[in-house]
Amino acid sequence: MSEEPREPRLDAIHVPERPRAVVLVLHGGQQRSTQPVRNRNASWWRMLLVAKALRPTARREHLAVHLLQHRVRGWNDDRDPSPVRDARWALDRLREQHGDLPVVLVGHSMGGRTACRTADDRSVVGVVGLAPWLPAGEPHRVLAGRALHVLHGPRDRWTSAALSRTFVERCRPIATEATWTALPGAGHYMLRQVSTWNGFVEDSTLRILGADARESRDTDEPTRGPA
C-alpha cells in the first residue's frame, strides 16, 4: 500500500533581513514514481548539501536560499509534471514572503528539467543546471529572456551530456546568455569534484545576478572549462 503524498515543503536555508534576490534549489527524482519524497532520499539531501554550500556567498551577497522538497519522487505526466506544479507553488510562496525579487533556479537532474520548465515564471531571471535531464525535444522557449548555465560530466550514465548541450545550443538565440560546461571525469551524482560543482553554482548564480565571486576558494579540482 503506497503512502499518501503530502504537500510540498519549502525549507529556508538562509534568509537575510533584506534579501536582494532569491535562489530556489530543486532536487532530482525519477521518471515515474508516486512515492513521497522524504529527507532520507539521496536526491533531496544531495541538493541540501549544495544549498548549504551556498550560504557563505548568500550571506555576503544578501541572497535568500530555499530548498524545495517535492510531494512525490516522479516526473510522471509530461503534460502536467508533478515537480513543475510544486516549483510553481514554491515560486508563489516565495513572492508572498519576499515580494517580487529576482529568482535564480538551481536544479540537479530532474530538478534541472523542472527549472527549465518553470523558467517562464515572471520572477525567474536564470537557471543553473547540474547534470540536467533534458531529453530530445524538451521545450526551450520558456528560457527566452533568461540566462542558462549548465555543467555536465561526460561520464554521466543517467542523463545525457550531449542532449543537455544540444538544449543549451537551442536556447542561445533566445536566452540572455546560455553556456554549457563539461566537467571531465564527472558522473551524475556529484560525489567527486564537489567543490567544482559548488563553485559552478556560486559563480553562475552571481553571474546571472550581475555580481562577481569576490572570495577565492581553496580547491584541488580542475577549472570548470542527477537522482
Side-chain angles (χ1 to χ4, degrees):
M1 183 174 179
S2 63
E3 193 176 355
E4 186 68 22
R6 49 163 177 69
E7 289 299 306
R9 192 181 84 202
L10 193 59
D11 292 333
I13 305 302
H14 177 72
V15 180
E17 184 177 351
R18 295 179 181 175
R20 68 178 185 90
V22 179
V23 180
L24 175 59
V25 180
L26 305 170
H27 65 82
Q30 300 176 359
Q31 186 169 355
R32 291 190 177 277
S33 174
T34 58
Q35 289 293 315
V37 179
R38 299 301 182 199
N39 289 2
R40 64 177 177 268
N41 294 136
S43 59
W44 180 82
W45 59 252
R46 182 176 297 116
M47 293 310 284
L48 174 63
L49 297 178
V50 170
K52 287 184 174 181
L54 192 58
R55 283 192 294 201
T57 299
R59 284 193 290 268
R60 190 176 72 245
E61 298 290 341
H62 307 286
L63 308 178
V65 180
H66 295 265
L67 172 64
L68 175 63
Q69 186 174 97
H70 295 298
R71 292 169 298 126
V72 297
R73 300 181 69 185
W75 179 263
N76 300 321
D77 184 357
D78 193 53
R79 292 170 297 180
D80 185 23
S82 301
V84 173
R85 274 185 276 132
D86 294 345
R88 294 196 186 281
W89 170 89
L91 287 164
D92 287 341
R93 301 292 81 73
L94 290 173
R95 268 190 292 272
E96 292 173 1
Q97 181 175 350
H98 299 299
D100 289 318
L101 293 179
V103 176
V104 176
L105 302 176
V106 177
H108 173 252
S109 193
M110 185 184 76
R113 188 179 187 185
T114 301
C116 289
R117 283 286 183 102
T118 54
D120 58 349
D121 182 275
R122 72 175 190 266
S123 297
V124 174
V125 294
V127 170
V128 181
L130 307 174
W133 171 36
L134 294 168
E138 180 68 15
H140 71 290
R141 295 196 175 277
V142 292
L143 272 298
R146 277 75 172 173
L148 172 64
H149 299 293
V150 170
L151 181 64
H152 216 138
R155 297 179 62 182
D156 193 327
R157 297 183 179 181
W158 291 95
T159 60
S160 170
L163 287 177
S164 75
R165 184 170 190 170
T166 298
F167 182 86
V168 170
E169 290 170 351
R170 291 167 62 210
C171 289
R172 281 186 179 134
I174 61 172
T176 57
E177 187 177 30
T179 68
W180 186 90
T181 303
L183 183 54
H188 186 68
Y189 294 111
M190 305 189 296
L191 298 176
R192 297 181 178 180
Q193 306 185 70
V194 173
S195 62
T196 305
W197 291 102
N198 291 338
F200 183 83
V201 171
E202 176 187 349
D203 292 347
S204 298
T205 298
L206 296 182
R207 182 169 175 171
I208 291 168
L209 295 173
D212 295 318
R214 291 194 288 268
E215 291 184 359
S216 62
R217 295 176 301 274
D218 293 329
T219 174
D220 295 328
E221 312 300 343
T223 303
R224 291 183 314 285

